[in-house]
Amino acid sequence: MKVKHIDHIGIAVKSLDKAGKFYTEALGLKVHDVETVTEQKVRVAFIPITDSEVELLESTQEDGPVAKFIAAKGEGIQHLAFRVENIEEALAELKAKGVRLIDEKPRMGAGGARIAFIHPKETNGVLVEICQRD
Ligand code: ZN
């Protein structure tokens, strides 16, 4: 599998508007877009930096994965995403290597990416996503 670079870092926040201020006002970065991903029960603010981005994640519902993350651990880094050239190949290779996956098949993520999560038990507690953008 070819891992190209860190695609994004997902940060769970209570409020996109409040959290975004650090990135825009203190760091001088720009929020490129805000998108609601209904399936993930989340609103996402994209803050690009070179070929990676920070994604601020705000839950839209109390039972969403981001709301549960914040309830358990507080606001903070929720996942790390690596961009791969071919997500089907990457998933097949990980499976063949015995790596436990949350998603055996890619699903749609924010920004039109196809994404899949690896089980955090395999990654020292870090929720790792692989994603492909065409
Ligand atoms: Zn992500």
Side-chain angles (χ1 to χ4, degrees), residues 8 55 79 129:
H8 62 271
E55 289 185 4
H79 69 276
E129 171 191 325

Side-chain angles (χ1 to χ4, degrees), residues 42-97:
V42 77
R43 272 178 79 222
V44 186
F46 301 94
I47 304 167
I49 305 153
T50 65
D51 53 7
S52 299
E53 59 190 11
V54 170
E55 289 185 4
L56 301 179
L57 312 165
E58 175 194 272
S59 192
T60 55
Q61 288 179 47
E62 276 174 28
D63 64 341
V66 168
K68 285 181 187 162
F69 177 90
I70 291 174
K73 296 184 178 172
E75 293 179 295
I77 294 180
Q78 196 249 358
H79 69 276
L80 173 63
F82 295 107
R83 192 182 304 190
V84 296
E85 225 162 52
N86 183 318
I87 194 166
E88 273 95 2
E89 271 179 28
L91 285 171
E93 186 176 332
L94 290 167
K95 219 174 152 181
K97 287 176 176 170

